[in-house]
Amino acid sequence: MRKDRGSGWFGPFGGRFVPETLIEPLNELEAAYASARRDPKFKAALRSELDTFVGRPTPLTFAGRLSAALGLRVWLKREDLTHTGAHKINNTVGQILLARRMKKKRVIAETGAGQHGVATAAAAARAGLPCVVYMGTDDMARQAPNVARMKMLGATVVPVESGSKTLKDATSEALRAWSSDSRNTFYVLGSALGPHPYPSMVRDFQSVIGVEARAQILKAEGRLPKEVVACVGGGSNSIGIFSAFIKDRGVRLTGVEAGGTGSAPGRHAARFSGGSPGTLHGTYTYLLQDARGQVLPTHSISAGLDYPAVGPEHAELRRIGRAKYANASDKDALKAAHELCRLEGILPALESSHALAYLHKARLKKGELILVNLSGRGDKDLGTLCA
Ligand SMILES: *Cc1c(COP(=O)(O)O)cnc(C)c1O
C-alpha cells in the first residue's frame, strides 16, 4: 500500500491505495491522460466521437406536466438519449481513445447494472479492441437484457460468483485481472471511483453533461437553476453535472443515494447516512463498513446504485458543505419511474428514478427552477418495473 500525497486528493479523500503491482500501471495511465488532455488532436477526436457516435449534445427537456404536479419548473438533462442509453458512454469513449493512444491490445471493465459494460463493449467494438467485462452473477440475473447486449457487441462477460455477487466483487475481479496483465490491458473503470487518476479522469469525461446543461438552461430560462439533482452510485453522472455549477454559489447541488428498504445495515446503499471514512478499491472515501472495517452488504432495487463506496470528490463536496446528499427508497424510486412514464412519456432508469423521487422532497419555492440529470433509460429495468 502506498499513500501518494501528490495529486489525486480531494481534501482528505481520494489517493491511491493499491498493491505495489498497480503503482506503475497507474503512473503510466496518469502520464498518458495528462498528455492526452492537453493534446488538441485528442480533444478533437473525443469531440468527434461525442458528436457523431454518442449523439451529443443531448437535449434539455422541460417536464411540463411533472412541473405542474410539483409546483416547480423541472428540466431534465437527457442522458437517456445517448447511444447505449446512459451517461456511461461519455466516459468509455474517452477512456477507449486513451487505450488506443497507449497502444493497449485489449480492454477490461467491471459492471453493475450492465450499462457500463454495454458502453465499454460498444466503444471497444468500434475501436477494434477485444473486451472482457466482469459482472456479479446476481446482477447478471437482474439485468439480463444488458448481458445479451454485451455479448451481441462482441464482449466476453465473465460471471463473478464471489462475495455479494454484485458490483463490488466485479470491481475487485477487474482490478485483479488488470494487475496480472497491465502491459497489454487497459482497465476502463466505470465511475468517479478507484485509485487516482480515475476519479478525476472520469469526472473530466463526464463534465460534458454539466457544461451542456448549464448553457442550455441559461439559454432556455435566462437564469441558473436553484438546485441541481442527480442520483449517486459511484458518483459519475452527478459529478459530471455538478462540476459545471460548483462555482455558482447560489445553485444547490443534491446527490441522491439508494435508501433501499430501510436504514438497517444491508438494506440500503446510503453511504453518507450509514457510512464512515475508509478505503475500498484504491480510494479513501465514505464507505458502508462495520466497526471492524469489514465492508457491509448493500441493497438497492437499482443495480447501478448498489455499491458500498462513493466517489471521493463527493465525500469532499459534502465535507465542505458544497453539496448535500439525500436518499430515496426503492418504493419511492419505483413510484417516481411510473410517474415520469405517465406524465412525460419518458421511461427512466431505476437509478435516475432516485433523483426524480427526491423532487417530492425538494424544499423550493413555487415556480423555482430545478435541473435533474436523467442519467439513463429504463428499458433494462422493465422486468423489475412490471413485476
Ligand atoms: C451506472 C449508472 C448510475 C450510477 O453510476 P454513477 O457513477 O453514480 O453515475 C446511474 N444511472 C444510470 C442510468 C447508470 O447506468
Side-chain angles (χ1 to χ4, degrees):
M1 302 293 239
R2 188 169 94 176
K3 203 164 161 173
D4 181 346
R5 262 288 157 194
S7 43
W9 291 90
F10 306 95
F13 300 108
R16 186 181 273 179
F17 296 85
V18 294
E20 210 52 51
T21 46
L22 282 180
I23 296 290
E24 250 330 287
L26 286 166
N27 282 336
E28 184 199 7
L29 176 63
E30 181 179 7
Y33 177 57
S35 114
R37 65 184 303 216
R38 285 192 307 265
D39 179 353
K41 273 206 224 109
F42 183 84
K43 285 195 268 190
L46 178 59
R47 189 68 255 173
S48 163
E49 282 302 276
L50 291 174
D51 293 349
T52 67
F53 182 61
V54 173
R56 302 210 72 90
T58 59
L60 193 68
T61 301
F62 181 64
R65 293 200 337 121
L66 181 65
S67 293
L70 292 166
L72 299 168
R73 287 185 68 75
V74 181
W75 288 86
L76 305 171
K77 180 59 173 164
R78 301 292 306 281
E79 295 304 292
D80 61 310
L81 293 179
T82 56
H83 178 47
T84 68
H87 68 288
K88 298 286 191 332
I89 190 88
N90 303 322
N91 172 46
T92 58
V93 296
Q95 288 197 41
I96 282 178
L97 279 177
L98 193 55
R100 287 180 59 189
R101 186 180 166 99
M102 293 172 76
K103 307 223 165 12
K104 297 293 181 184
K105 305 252 172 346
R106 63 175 205 133
V107 302
I108 60 170
E110 82 297 338
T111 199
Q115 289 300 119
H116 176 59
V118 169
T120 306
R126 182 164 163 83
L129 287 169
C131 174
V132 174
V133 181
Y134 295 86
M135 189 172 191
T137 46
D138 272 14
D139 288 339
M140 287 178 75
R142 61 178 161 172
Q143 308 276 231
N146 273 344
V147 176
R149 291 166 82 201
M150 284 183 264
K151 290 182 177 165
M152 274 301 294
L153 292 164
T156 305
V157 181
V158 177
V160 177
E161 289 276 5
S162 56
S164 57
K165 305 181 174 63
T166 59
L167 180 57
K168 168 173 74 69
D169 314 284
T171 306
S172 301
E173 216 37 59
L175 278 166
R176 244 193 303 280
W178 192 35
S179 69
S180 73
D181 181 28
S182 59
R183 177 195 290 274
N184 296 311
T185 303
F186 188 101
Y187 177 21
V188 183
L189 207 154
S191 190
L193 273 174
H196 177 64
Y198 284 106
S200 309
M201 180 170 72
V202 175
R203 176 206 55 215
D204 293 350
F205 287 137
Q206 293 293 2
S207 66
V208 65
I209 304 172
V211 169
E212 286 176 9
R214 191 175 181 283
Q216 286 168 319
I217 200 156
L218 279 174
K219 181 155 184 247
E221 292 273 6
R223 57 187 166 138
L224 290 172
K226 262 277 174 267
E227 187 164 358
V228 177
V229 185
C231 66
V232 185
S236 70
N237 85 87
S238 46
I239 204 72
I241 195 161
F242 288 178
S243 55
F245 295 92
I246 286 176
K247 288 196 188 124
D248 301 315
R249 290 283 149 181
V251 179
R252 271 189 235 163
L253 305 176
T254 304
V256 187
E257 298 182 286
T261 56
S263 58
R267 301 186 66 166
H268 63 88
R271 291 69 46 105
F272 285 130
S273 63
S276 53
T279 304
L280 181 67
H281 295 144
T283 192
Y284 181 69
T285 186
Y286 265 70
L287 180 62
L288 291 166
Q289 55 188 335
D290 67 16
R292 293 180 12 257
Q294 292 295 316
V295 176
L296 288 168
T298 51
H299 162 80
S300 171
I301 193 164
S302 62
L305 304 185
D306 199 352
Y307 179 75
V310 63
E313 193 166 2
H314 287 287
E316 177 62 1
L317 288 175
R318 177 172 177 269
R319 188 184 73 85
I320 62 175
R322 182 61 192 94
K324 66 186 175 89
Y325 295 83
N327 59 74
S329 69
D330 286 0
K331 224 170 106 206
D332 288 348
L334 275 173
K335 249 198 279 180
H338 287 284
E339 182 180 51
L340 198 73
C341 287
R342 300 295 170 85
L343 292 181
E344 298 296 339
I346 298 170
L347 170 56
L350 279 172
E351 290 81 7
S352 324
S353 303
H354 286 70
L356 296 166
Y358 169 82
L359 294 177
H360 291 272
K361 308 224 163 108
R363 285 201 302 257
L364 290 179
K365 293 200 208 95
K366 216 171 155 48
E368 277 186 332
L369 292 187
I370 188 160
L371 168 61
V372 182
N373 197 26
L374 203 70
S375 54
R377 68 182 189 214
D379 306 51
K380 69 186 177 59
D381 299 314
L382 280 173
T384 308
L385 283 163
C386 301

